[in-house]
Amino acid sequence: MLVSPNGDAPDRIVRSLALSTLLHTVGTGIVITLSAVYFTRIVGVSVGQLGLGMAISAAAALGAGIPLGKLAERRDPKRMLVALLLGQGLAIFLHVEATTFISFLGVTCLLAFVNEGANAVRATLIADAIPPERRVRARALLRTITNVGFAGGAVLAGVALSGTDRTVYRLFLIVSACFFVLAAGVMARVPSTGVSSKKESTGAWTVLRDRPYLAIAATNALMQMYYSVFEIAVPLWIATRLNVPHGMISMLFILNTGVIIALQMPIGARFGRLAHAGRLCTAAGIGLAVACLLIALSPDRTGWQASALLVMAGLIYSLGEVLHTTGSWTAGFELAPQAVQGQYQGVFTTGGSLSQLLGPVFVSFIILGNGANGWLLAAASFAGAGLLMHAAIARATRAQRHHVPASVR
């Protein structure tokens, strides 16, 4: 466990965040695994309505982290996180009451909004309560636990997926909501940290005038579209274009989880410094590009050849994901003024929501709509985004080093 020379308060925050993260990601794994099947098979929402609802909910949540992150500068982020975890639990519980498309849309929008807010406030709490040199390691620990918790939740949800009993589905959704309540309870037991940034915040929207930081957030959103590529494009590519068992889809997800669990913390501890951030993002972009090129080579191959290409692509993709998250977390924390971390973390997490909104469009029209050439376009996009992010981080670092005011950067 991380050790703080200034007392055990940061350690307690990290331990509580770790346990809370394990609990709420088990709940997340359950609801994500079940929700699409539940609403289409049990509630009767059509596939088209499901897709429309998910797009609307992503749009509704876009930017939620910015005002909530700024509010965390003036309020206790720990208490806000507790409230948002309870809000997530309530939104999931309301899933069992949704019986129409309108009610489905309402609960998904609510869940997306509080999810986005919780991500921003959690990042603000880390920035506020944990010393700078330990923030990336803390995020790496939480990401590792996230993968473990999500996998556990998905396994639990498999029990419900084995049948069509409405009661079983509803029971597991209620269990998912209870995991969020338990996660909130863990955080509620942590003493408030005495947020120093609340006293220093001027109330101005400093981040909106910080052009170098906004450039980092924007290029980071482009990079993060790799989540949609891995979660949507790769499974559909395997299912429709390749002569390999569909079990390869599950194998790649398991492989990705294993790589993250094995490497996220060591790489975060070794390279979690601003001097490495730009190079990590460049390396990540190149790695993602190579993975896309390998997938582009997979059609018209024998089963074992295509499988080998997919495994190599999965390994390289997973390493690129670890490198990118380490570099982006470092830049996101280190290039934000301490007194206004809330609004900065809100902007940074908004990039993730933007990528979730644009990612399916990118997958549908750029990749799957163009066959193998689509993967070449994706490779060029990720390599370019990595280089742009490196340049944006370098520019913001120079501005910070020379103490250039955010309003004129």
Side-chain angles (χ1 to χ4, degrees):
M1 182 57 65
L2 305 174
V3 178
S4 170
N6 300 317
D8 65 352
D11 289 319
R12 188 169 181 181
I13 291 289
V14 171
R15 289 193 296 267
S16 297
L17 281 169
L19 179 56
S20 176
T21 297
L22 179 63
L23 291 168
H24 82 73
T25 52
V26 170
T28 300
I30 294 173
V31 72
I32 287 181
T33 305
L34 288 184
S35 59
V37 178
Y38 173 74
F39 282 116
T40 54
R41 182 187 296 178
I42 305 299
V43 176
V45 173
S46 70
V47 173
Q49 288 175 324
L50 180 73
L52 176 62
M54 297 306 293
I56 292 174
S57 65
L62 188 64
I66 299 176
L68 289 173
K70 182 168 174 55
L71 183 62
E73 295 170 8
R74 296 177 171 272
R75 300 288 185 267
D76 185 346
K78 188 226 44 173
R79 292 182 180 178
M80 288 185 62
L81 181 58
V82 170
L84 288 164
L85 285 167
L86 291 173
Q88 289 171 286
L90 174 62
I92 295 169
F93 177 77
L94 291 175
H95 277 49
V96 304
E97 301 297 327
T99 57
T100 65
F101 172 68
I102 296 300
S103 56
F104 152 73
L105 186 61
V107 297
T108 52
C109 285
L110 174 61
L111 182 59
F113 186 89
V114 291
N115 279 348
E116 176 70 10
N119 289 336
V121 173
R122 187 177 291 108
T124 303
L125 176 60
I126 291 171
D128 206 65
I130 298 175
E133 68 275 9
R134 298 174 53 195
R135 291 170 184 164
V136 173
R137 281 181 287 166
R139 284 296 296 264
L141 171 65
L142 297 183
R143 181 166 175 77
T144 301
I145 292 172
T146 293
N147 279 268
V148 174
F150 186 88
V155 170
L156 290 174
V159 177
L161 288 173
S162 63
T164 58
D165 190 326
R166 173 188 292 267
T167 302
V168 174
Y169 275 84
R170 289 162 65 95
L171 175 62
F172 272 85
L173 288 170
I174 292 171
V175 169
S176 172
C178 289
F179 273 107
F180 280 89
V181 174
L182 291 173
V186 168
M187 292 308 304
R189 293 174 60 86
V190 179
S192 296
T193 56
V195 185
S196 61
S197 61
K198 292 188 297 183
K199 301 177 181 178
E200 300 173 21
S201 179
T202 63
W205 286 96
T206 309
V207 67
L208 299 182
R209 301 193 304 274
D210 192 339
R211 290 190 293 273
Y213 195 91
L214 293 175
I216 294 172
T219 52
N220 189 54
L222 294 177
M223 286 284 286
Q224 283 185 298
M225 286 197 293
Y226 61 71
Y227 289 117
S228 293
V229 172
F230 186 68
E231 295 169 6
I232 301 173
V234 171
L236 290 176
W237 184 259
I238 291 173
T240 61
R241 303 294 183 95
L242 303 184
N243 182 29
V244 298
H246 290 180
M248 178 61 67
I249 298 171
S250 297
M251 182 182 296
L252 290 176
F253 278 103
I254 294 170
L255 178 65
N256 176 254
T257 300
V259 170
I260 291 172
I261 291 172
L263 297 182
Q264 189 75 74
M265 287 188 66
I267 289 179
R270 175 67 179 84
F271 298 105
R273 293 188 294 277
L274 187 57
H276 296 134
R279 284 173 285 176
L280 287 177
C281 291
T282 297
I286 293 172
L288 294 167
V290 171
C292 290
L293 293 175
L294 290 172
I295 295 173
L297 296 174
S298 60
D300 302 322
R301 305 283 176 174
T302 63
W304 72 267
Q305 289 175 330
S307 296
L309 287 170
L310 289 173
V311 170
M312 286 190 291
L315 285 169
I316 295 170
Y317 162 88
S318 300
L319 177 60
E321 181 179 339
V322 171
L323 294 176
H324 167 256
T325 51
T326 302
S328 63
W329 292 337
T330 304
F333 282 128
E334 296 299 316
L335 293 171
Q338 181 61 28
V340 286
Q341 281 280 359
Q343 57 185 277
Y344 274 70
Q345 297 312 315
V347 165
F348 208 73
T349 57
T350 295
S353 294
L354 183 60
S355 69
Q356 291 175 14
L357 188 62
L358 298 179
V361 178
F362 178 77
V363 165
S364 299
F365 292 98
I366 301 299
I367 299 179
L368 298 180
N370 292 286
N373 289 333
W375 289 103
L376 299 181
L377 293 171
S381 299
F382 287 126
L387 291 170
L388 286 173
M389 195 164 180
H390 189 174
I393 292 171
R395 181 189 175 201
T397 302
R398 288 194 299 271
Q400 183 187 70
R401 187 179 300 125
H402 291 92
H403 305 287
V404 178
S407 59
V408 296
R409 287 182 195 168

